[in-house]
Amino acid sequence: MRCPYCRHADSRVVDSREADDGQLIRRRRSCPECGKRFTTVEEAVLAVVKRSGVTEPFSRTKIIGGVRKACQGRPVDDDSLALLAQRVEETVRAKGAAEIPSHDVGLAILGPLRDLDEIAYLRFASVYRSFDSLADFEREIETLRAAARARGQGRADAVEAAGRTS
């Protein structure tokens, strides 16, 4: 790392610390030439590869913008959208790849969006998965209903088990 004061080509790392839940690394450096200290911040850049082959940096803002369109007219606040974008980024970064296809980003959006708002999920999924007919919507709605029944059964089982232990 070049010294910002004397432009010497080398520096020594004095201290390293993680910031932003490990997304950033702050390094305190010392220049052997002039003796001054400075801080650098390093961030692992996550790149998204579009269908066209173009690569661009991952952007929570783009995630929020795309999901906001699906949530138009729904009772979803900005904090929920920001949290969804954070969950998507965490999921994508957990794959450990420096570049990720845009298709995988879309898949990472679907789960948290389904949990947030089912109508917004259907809107997003219909565009993302290119629904062509009513049958596509019906299939997806039936999947949502089956998941809701399973959640309801899980709650009923828990209530029944709690009643037996009382």
Side-chain angles (χ1 to χ4, degrees):
M1 180 75 214
R2 186 175 298 276
C3 174
Y5 301 105
C6 70
R7 309 299 295 159
H8 184 68
D10 198 17
S11 63
R12 185 173 63 86
V13 175
V14 177
D15 183 40
S16 290
R17 296 178 188 206
E18 288 186 1
D20 284 347
D21 296 327
Q23 300 300 317
L24 299 175
I25 298 176
R26 297 174 56 89
R27 297 194 195 278
R28 191 74 180 141
R29 296 177 176 270
S30 175
C31 175
E33 187 70 23
C34 68
K36 292 194 177 183
R37 290 186 171 204
F38 57 98
T39 301
T40 59
V41 178
E42 300 173 19
E43 179 179 17
V45 177
L46 178 62
V48 176
V49 181
K50 309 287 253 175
R51 275 184 253 150
S52 65
V54 173
T55 303
E56 63 181 47
F58 178 87
S59 167
R60 283 189 190 182
T61 306
K62 283 191 79 170
I63 300 295
I64 291 170
V67 172
R68 180 174 277 130
K69 291 175 190 168
C71 293
Q72 197 168 12
R74 303 295 304 154
V76 176
D77 61 9
D78 288 341
D79 289 341
S80 297
L81 292 177
L83 189 58
L84 181 140
Q86 179 181 344
R87 285 179 62 193
V88 169
E89 183 174 3
E90 288 169 357
T91 300
V92 169
R93 284 191 185 274
K95 294 183 183 239
E99 291 185 344
I100 187 150
S102 59
H103 177 75
D104 290 359
V105 175
L107 290 176
I109 291 171
L110 289 174
L113 184 55
R114 182 177 47 237
D115 296 341
L116 181 64
D117 187 278
E118 289 178 337
I119 301 300
Y121 165 79
L122 274 175
R123 290 173 177 170
F124 188 88
S126 69
V127 173
Y128 179 72
R129 293 187 174 150
S130 303
F131 287 5
D132 293 330
S133 65
L134 285 175
D136 293 334
F137 279 97
E138 289 168 345
R139 254 192 315 277
E140 198 62 39
I141 290 169
E142 186 49 42
T143 302
L144 288 170
R145 286 183 176 148
R149 284 192 297 271
R151 282 192 310 270
Q153 183 61 41
R155 276 185 248 146
D157 291 344
V159 169
E160 183 180 323
R164 279 184 269 159
T165 59
S166 297

